[in-house]
């Protein structure tokens, strides 16, 4: 099986270090999931999320000099809540102009005070 950047594969955790977890993919090929790519939250101890022998879904991030960079968190779909858009009340533009003219008034007053 050809491993390509961007592909999502299944693998088995074969080792855990303080900087990441080694995952064996098909064909006895091993890649590294860096600690920052394990979960969407801060990971202090990898053992809280993974253990040797776990089967995980990973996304291939990079292939460089025979090393494979993997991510677990990029395989998880993120559901974003719909953005709340506030309705603007009538007269919004008028109030905005009033505030603008007030700002100009205050700036002129300050400038006059400074240059007396």
């Amino acid at each position: 099986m050809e491993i390509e950047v961007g592909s999502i594969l299944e693998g088995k955790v074969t080792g855990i270090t303080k900087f990441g977890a080694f995952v064996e993919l098909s064909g006895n090929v091993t890649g590294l999931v860096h600690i920052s790519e394990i979960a969407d939250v801060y990971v202090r101890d990898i053992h809280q999320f993974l253990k040797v022998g776990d089967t995980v879904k990973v996304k291939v991030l990079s292939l460089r000099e025979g090393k494979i960079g993997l991510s677990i968190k990029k395989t998880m779909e993120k559901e974003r809540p719909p953005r709340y858009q506030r309705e603007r009340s009538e007269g919004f533009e008028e109030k905005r102009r009033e505030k603008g003219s007030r700002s100009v008034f205050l700036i002129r007053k300050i400038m006059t005070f400074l240059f007396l």
Side-chain angles (χ1 to χ4, degrees):
M1 178 178 177
E2 187 72 25
I3 296 174
E4 297 176 3
V5 173
S7 59
I8 296 178
L9 310 167
E10 255 190 31
K12 192 176 208 174
V13 177
T14 58
I16 296 176
T17 65
K18 61 183 174 184
F19 56 84
F22 290 96
V23 176
E24 184 179 318
L25 305 170
S26 62
N28 290 336
V29 178
T30 302
L32 174 70
V33 179
H34 188 265
I35 190 169
S36 64
E37 292 295 330
I38 289 178
D40 281 334
V41 295
Y42 177 73
V43 178
R44 174 171 286 168
D45 182 14
I46 297 171
H47 292 91
Q48 292 176 336
F49 295 86
L50 299 172
K51 64 181 186 282
V52 174
D54 284 353
T55 300
V56 292
K57 195 186 273 190
V58 294
K59 181 174 185 174
V60 180
L61 297 181
S62 65
L63 296 167
R64 207 173 325 141
E65 300 171 13
K67 296 180 180 177
I68 303 170
L70 304 171
S71 173
I72 294 173
K73 77 178 182 181
K74 293 220 166 78
T75 62
M76 299 177 214
E77 286 191 30
K78 297 177 193 173
E79 278 193 35
R80 293 183 179 222
R83 246 182 107 164
Y84 174 73
Q85 190 164 0
R86 190 176 68 176
E87 300 239 357
R88 299 197 173 180
S89 60
E90 289 184 39
F92 171 75
E93 290 297 322
E94 291 172 17
K95 288 180 183 178
R96 190 170 175 186
R97 271 189 242 118
E98 288 173 13
K99 284 186 178 182
S101 60
R102 183 172 178 228
S103 300
V104 171
F105 171 76
L106 289 173
I107 291 171
R108 284 185 184 155
K109 193 166 188 162
I110 291 169
M111 296 298 282
T112 306
F113 177 76
L114 290 175
F115 295 108
L116 284 180

